[in-house]
Amino acid sequence: IQGAPKLTADAAGLPVSEVMEASIPLVIVMGLVTTVAAFWMMRRDMKKGTWRDGLVSGTISGHTANQSEGRISLPHKQKQLLAVLIPVLFAIDVAAMFILNLQGGDATALVGGTAVLILIGVTMLAHRNRGLEETTSYLIEGFQFGFKVFGPVIPIA
């Protein structure tokens, strides 16, 4: 077992299983609080009229979130198909992890690979001929976001 629980367990001198068991109430409370807060904030933005097509109007990562700035919209049928297909693909990953007893880096590689394949597929659908170039842009933007969000974790750990 690798990752944050291992770091915490090593620092505390405890077995990883104890740290994971002790974190269950925290994970449940955190999940509930963030879900309720996100729902409340989304409803507030919808009432104010600043919520559009799943994006808050304004800028996200330096890009304006409206159609005139090159935002691509998929047909409704494709959106519905993807809304079903993506969770099914990750559910298949979870089943494969149980069946093949995948843990740690192997499980991470499976989920990461699935996510990259989904990114490529959806980007190719949305951008057609520029799909591969846009995939690269999305990957770069995602890595930049990841480093911004998780960068402070490294010195803390």
Side-chain angles (χ1 to χ4, degrees):
I1 297 175
Q2 299 172 358
K6 181 165 178 20
L7 289 173
T8 305
D10 288 349
L14 297 169
V16 177
S17 59
E18 280 188 38
V19 171
M20 291 180 72
E21 287 173 16
S23 69
I24 291 172
L26 174 66
V27 170
I28 292 170
V29 169
M30 181 185 68
L32 287 171
V33 169
T34 55
T35 301
V36 170
F39 178 77
W40 177 78
M41 291 170 72
M42 184 180 77
R43 297 284 300 188
R44 181 196 64 196
D45 290 340
M46 288 172 75
K47 284 180 183 174
K48 283 200 255 179
T50 57
W51 184 267
R52 306 241 193 302
D53 292 339
L55 293 173
V56 177
S57 63
T59 59
I60 297 174
S61 301
H63 301 295
T64 304
N66 61 30
Q67 295 283 28
S68 64
E69 292 293 323
R71 188 166 153 253
I72 304 297
S73 182
L74 293 171
H76 187 69
K77 292 267 187 200
Q78 283 183 346
K79 288 180 186 178
Q80 287 180 321
L81 176 66
L82 290 170
V84 171
L85 183 63
I86 291 169
V88 167
L89 290 172
F90 283 116
I92 291 169
D93 280 357
V94 171
M97 283 185 246
F98 280 111
I99 293 168
L100 301 172
N101 197 27
L102 297 178
Q103 295 179 345
D106 294 337
T108 302
L110 178 64
V111 172
T114 301
V116 168
L117 288 175
I118 291 168
L119 170 67
I120 293 169
V122 172
T123 305
M124 294 300 285
L125 275 173
H127 295 282
R128 309 263 186 254
N129 296 335
R130 294 198 33 84
L132 294 177
E133 292 89 353
E134 293 297 325
T135 298
T136 305
S137 297
Y138 290 135
L139 279 172
I140 291 168
E141 188 175 335
F143 283 129
Q144 287 174 337
F145 175 77
F147 283 119
K148 286 178 187 174
V149 171
F150 294 109
V153 172
I154 295 168
I156 292 168

